[in-house]
Amino acid sequence: MAVHLSPCSSSSTSFTPSSFKNKTAQFSKFITLIREGHSPKWVSQIRPRIHPRNGFQLKSSNGHPLDAVSCHGDGMSLGLEHIEPRGKEDSFPISDSKNIDSKLSITVVGASGDLAKKKIFPALFALYYEDCLPEDFIVFGFARTKMTDEELRNMISRTLTCRIDKRENCEDKMDNFLKRCFYHAGLYNSEENFAELDIKLKEKEAGRKSNRLFYLSIPPNIFVDVVRCASLRASSESGWTRVIVEKPFGRDSESSAELTRCLKQYLAEEQIFRIDHYLGKELVENLSVLRFSNLVFEPVWSRNYIRNVQLIFSEDFGTEGRGGYFDKYGIIRDIMQNHLLQILALFAMETPVSLDAEDIRNEKVKVLRSMRPLLLEDVVVGQYKGHSKDSKSFPAYVDDPTVPKDSLTPTFAAAALFIDNARWDGVPFLMKAGKALHTKRTEIRVQFRHVPGNLYKRNFGTDLDKATNELVLRVQPDEAIYLKINNKVPGLGMRLDRSDLNLLYSARYPREIPDAYERLLLDAMEGERRLFIRSDELDAAWSLFTPLLKELEEKKIVPELYPYGSRGPVGPHYLAAKHNVRWGDLGDED
Ligand SMILES: NC(=O)C1=CN([C@@H]2O[C@H](COP(=O)(O)OP(=O)(O)OC[C@H]3O[C@@H](n4cnc5c(N)ncnc54)[C@H](OP(=O)(O)O)[C@@H]3O)[C@@H](O)[C@H]2O)C=CC1
Ligand SMILES: O=C1O[C@H](COP(=O)(O)O)[C@@H](O)[C@H](O)[C@H]1O
């Protein structure tokens, strides 16, 4: 009987039991693993299943985080995934990665691209500079562009920087890092080209146990091809294989589910690391610390004290160079459905049972599933238009040659979301995201309720809203956490003033904050999934936005135009007013 892998991509593969040369070899490998010290506890929890590359695989039957360990021999192999006890050292700790007998091979697929140059290679170098990579690692670039190893190194070297506060040995470190970088040109759907990559990887791995990490820094339409080829032809035969997948994960619920289904033809969920780089940002990571390790915040973290929450993303440049991608997605899919919604989930979730990845992701899924799908009436969309200022002219979105002149794709959106649970009933969560605005900033703003029976209300005049407390978490730039409070102006009279209790990171922690990609790459190497998106989280996120996105497209809703470099359209003010909210980012002093 042949097992056919489904037709998610251009080719399908079949495996026959006759190719399993000797079944007893499976069991001798199994026994070897036990002898090598793998715990019989997890061995007893595994059950057989078919694996695309190895033909036969053993997998745990419960939903705990797993880690892939594969072994092979005699022309056939077993892929084993084992359960690690919760809360203990992670399934593949960096200390294990540092094991001198094993090698880490990182392949950046789409190495010639913008993200690879701008973020991934610099992040890998930063990790190397900080001694966070295993001693024995190599980095391969893979893309269609013809390049030699030397050309790749030249390309990468242009974007590498050493930490501002630690410049010693920078040149040497760069040289050593670059010596470990190699390149292989190939087609994304060619199993043959990935088999060639496999040969090169093996050459460098020199017979040692190898763990392989693939970073898919490519457009989404070729994700499945690459996963198919990499998993069938270039996955590790002696260690784990993991794949980091960049967004977008589909365009809506259906395409996202289909993408997940296709990826799972070749990978177990535990091998898929869906990246949302906002989860790797310092202030976003700190959100849980702030909430759950300070007595003063958690008790007020509910509808009883919080009037509204605002999640604001603003960029001071347009879609320059990325119009082709952006026009298919728009700002709601590009920023809101993922980055802002992930922050919202972390902000609003209940206390997780532990800091274990699954416990946190369980809570995020719960809160996402308690939310109301967005309604058209609670959304405003905009698009930037050309604008001239001080004899400088700024292009309209539709001036981009890769964007259709009549495009209705929003480059700006504002939305009101609601969580129908006991903690957040009736509290508006307002989101605002836009490109080509007057400033670059990402913030979480929490506006608190009025002080009941405030003794000092006469001092605030008629606008009591101006006197409420506001907690601001500025994710970027100039990371900061500050609380707006009312304070007495020093002196003999009784004059009140709005002041900030301000934790400005640059003053308190005068060192460079690692880039989000550094943290996330490190986590993926360690097998830590806490900051990556699980497939049910993704489903829940798409369920909230898909009906709205369809309606916007079907009804051809025309976005409100706003000038490049402005504060955006006026629609969001009406939306906020409808929910009795005033945007917190209006004052320039903020
Ligand atoms: N750039 C960014 O700031 C961000 C990007 N992302 C995501 O990361 C991924 C990579 O982004 P980015 O680097 O900007 O993408 P690019 O458009 O630069 O593409 C990366 C590489 O993929 C290859 N490629 C491009 N288009 C095609 C195509 N139609 N068919 C086959 N190969 C193609 C090219 O390499 P070659 O021709 O050499 O094969 C290119 O260098 C995308 O999924 C993107 O959505 C996510 C967050 C931010
Ligand atoms: O994912 C994306 O994020 C960037 C913004 O990331 P940041 O870390 O610079 O804030 C955005 O420009 C891009 O459109 C989007 O795809």
Side-chain angles (χ1 to χ4, degrees):
M1 186 191 78
V3 178
H4 288 277
L5 293 173
S6 103
C8 284
S9 60
S10 43
S11 75
S12 71
T13 313
S14 67
F15 298 95
T16 58
S18 61
S19 68
F20 301 168
K21 280 191 194 147
N22 179 358
K23 281 199 173 173
T24 55
Q26 294 171 22
F27 290 99
S28 68
K29 279 290 159 196
F30 193 69
I31 298 303
T32 311
L33 277 164
I34 297 172
R35 285 208 191 105
E36 282 172 2
H38 295 281
S39 144
K41 189 172 156 220
W42 64 257
V43 171
S44 68
Q45 290 172 329
I46 50 185
R47 65 180 168 80
R49 74 174 194 135
I50 301 296
H51 184 277
R53 185 175 197 209
N54 300 329
F56 190 80
Q57 188 188 45
L58 300 173
K59 186 176 188 277
S60 114
S61 57
N62 81 9
H64 289 182
L66 302 168
D67 203 33
V69 177
S70 61
C71 54
H72 90 148
D74 302 322
M76 60 169 290
S77 60
L78 296 178
L80 294 181
E81 292 183 337
H82 64 102
I83 300 173
E84 292 291 334
R86 283 170 180 234
K88 284 191 68 181
E89 224 183 14
D90 197 69
S91 45
F92 204 91
I94 202 75
S95 53
D96 193 357
S97 313
K98 280 184 183 286
N99 184 329
I100 48 165
D101 289 336
S102 67
K103 184 140 195 143
L104 175 66
S105 304
I106 303 160
T107 302
V108 181
V109 183
S112 56
D114 181 58
L115 184 75
K117 280 186 261 190
K118 227 171 47 187
K119 293 287 186 184
I120 303 165
F121 289 116
L124 287 170
F125 173 64
L127 290 174
Y128 173 70
Y129 190 84
E130 298 290 334
D131 288 332
C132 291
L133 290 186
E135 260 154 47
D136 207 353
F137 77 93
I138 47 167
V139 178
F140 254 86
F142 182 102
R144 296 172 306 181
T145 303
K146 298 266 178 285
M147 247 193 278
T148 61
D149 291 345
E150 217 34 58
E151 283 165 338
L152 174 84
R153 290 170 187 159
N154 285 337
M155 183 193 90
I156 298 175
S157 65
R158 289 194 279 273
T159 54
L160 301 188
T161 52
C162 294
R163 291 253 179 257
I164 292 165
D165 55 346
K166 273 212 249 164
R167 298 205 61 91
E168 68 272 20
N169 303 330
C170 186
E171 291 297 313
D172 291 351
K173 285 263 193 181
M174 276 190 193
D175 286 349
N176 288 336
F177 175 78
L178 291 170
K179 276 186 199 141
R180 290 159 181 251
C181 296
F182 305 91
Y183 186 75
H184 185 68
L187 300 177
Y188 299 110
N189 62 357
S190 162
E191 285 185 33
E192 200 187 327
N193 292 160
F194 276 84
E196 291 157 10
L197 172 71
D198 186 54
I199 291 171
K200 287 192 179 174
L201 288 169
K202 278 188 180 134
E203 232 171 74
K204 311 279 178 217
E205 288 160 359
R208 265 164 298 166
K209 176 182 168 188
S210 74
N211 297 310
R212 293 189 181 170
L213 179 66
F214 290 85
Y215 196 121
L216 305 198
S217 182
I218 43 173
N221 58 316
I222 48 177
F223 284 170
V224 179
D225 277 335
V226 170
V227 165
R228 174 176 56 82
C229 296
S231 109
L232 296 177
R233 298 296 178 177
S235 60
S236 170
E237 293 167 359
S238 57
W240 51 251
T241 301
R242 295 180 186 143
V243 181
I244 300 181
V245 188
E246 260 297 348
K247 60 177 264 267
F249 315 115
R251 288 190 82 248
D252 50 28
S253 293
E254 293 79 28
S255 53
S256 165
E258 178 64 4
L259 176 62
T260 296
R261 197 183 66 77
C262 289
L263 294 180
K264 286 187 179 175
Q265 301 281 325
Y266 305 102
L267 299 170
E269 172 69 18
E270 296 73 35
Q271 291 175 281
I272 306 172
F273 287 70
R274 295 178 193 83
I275 200 165
D276 182 318
H277 75 281
Y278 266 63
L279 291 181
K281 292 198 185 263
E282 189 62 44
L283 263 282
V284 178
E285 263 250 274
N286 194 38
L287 194 48
S288 294
V289 179
L290 196 74
R291 276 188 70 185
F292 301 123
S293 76
N294 292 295
L295 185 66
V296 294
F297 292 115
E298 194 51 21
V300 296
W301 220 254
S302 75
R303 65 190 300 279
N304 296 331
Y305 297 95
I306 292 178
R307 203 154 46 110
N308 66 72
V309 181
Q310 303 176 15
L311 302 146
I312 301 170
F313 168 96
S314 148
E315 258 178 1
D316 56 0
F317 52 90
T319 57
E320 286 104 45
R322 294 184 74 219
Y325 150 79
F326 193 86
D327 203 61
K328 290 194 205 81
Y329 292 89
I331 199 80
I332 298 177
R333 293 183 177 93
D334 193 45
I335 303 292
M336 282 188 169
Q337 181 271 350
N338 35 70
H339 303 328
L340 296 188
L341 190 64
Q342 282 297 318
I343 297 178
L344 187 155
L346 282 176
F347 181 96
M349 70 183 183
E350 295 299 316
T351 314
V353 174
S354 76
L355 290 176
D356 183 274
E358 299 320 304
D359 288 332
I360 294 174
R361 298 193 295 184
N362 287 344
E363 292 308 327
K364 281 165 68 192
V365 173
K366 265 164 61 184
V367 80
L368 290 174
R369 291 183 56 202
S370 307
M371 291 177 70
R372 268 182 239 163
L374 273 146
L375 298 175
L376 190 55
E377 68 207 41
D378 276 333
V379 175
V380 171
V381 289
Q383 188 187 83
Y384 64 87
K385 60 180 182 184
H387 174 57
S388 296
K389 197 177 167 192
D390 305 332
S391 72
K392 230 182 139 192
S393 62
F394 298 91
Y397 171 65
V398 292
D399 288 342
D400 183 325
T402 58
V403 170
K405 287 278 168 257
D406 56 354
S407 171
L408 296 179
T409 301
T411 59
F412 177 100
L417 295 97
F418 292 89
I419 305 174
D420 288 333
N421 67 12
R423 187 187 282 264
W424 296 114
D425 191 7
V427 177
F429 282 76
L430 293 195
M431 282 185 183
K432 189 161 72 166
K435 289 193 174 268
L437 295 174
H438 73 298
T439 186
K440 177 168 169 57
R441 195 175 292 182
T442 303
E443 285 177 344
I444 307 164
R445 301 186 81 105
V446 187
Q447 294 185 344
F448 289 88
R449 293 191 182 282
H450 302 130
V451 174
N454 194 329
L455 283 178
Y456 293 95
K457 65 171 176 280
R458 275 193 319 159
N459 301 63
F460 302 124
T462 49
D463 196 352
L464 268 185
D465 281 357
K466 281 198 170 153
T468 58
N469 295 124
E470 186 172 17
L471 175 69
V472 182
L473 282 81
R474 192 160 63 228
V475 175
Q476 64 187 24
D478 308 328
E479 291 83 350
I481 301 173
Y482 57 97
L483 179 65
K484 289 182 170 294
I485 57 157
N486 301 306
N487 201 45
K488 178 180 171 299
V489 178
L492 297 179
M494 176 53 73
R495 219 156 47 79
L496 298 197
D497 180 33
R498 292 282 281 162
S499 283
D500 293 344
L501 297 180
N502 194 354
L503 172 59
L504 183 61
Y505 273 43
S506 59
R508 176 71 182 90
Y509 309 108
R511 69 183 74 109
E512 201 190 345
I513 293 176
D515 188 75
Y517 283 90
E518 294 171 37
R519 191 186 314 274
L520 294 166
L521 275 161
L522 191 58
D523 277 2
M525 289 171 209
E526 291 182 337
E528 168 60 69
R529 281 169 265 274
R530 194 167 46 95
L531 300 179
F532 294 88
I533 318 291
R534 208 167 61 185
S535 66
D536 53 348
E537 264 185 271
L538 187 58
D539 293 346
W542 275 121
S543 303
L544 296 174
F545 283 90
T546 296
L548 165 83
L549 289 163
K550 289 198 168 148
E551 205 176 340
L552 280 169
E553 281 161 15
E554 276 160 21
K555 293 191 172 155
K556 297 193 188 318
I557 301 294
V558 179
E560 192 181 333
L561 295 179
Y562 61 95
Y564 191 120
S566 68
R567 285 176 178 272
V570 294
H573 299 292
Y574 293 108
L575 176 69
K578 183 174 140 190
H579 296 287
N580 219 356
V581 175
R582 188 195 303 241
W583 290 103
D585 62 338
L586 294 178
D588 274 327
E589 81 282 3
D590 287 325

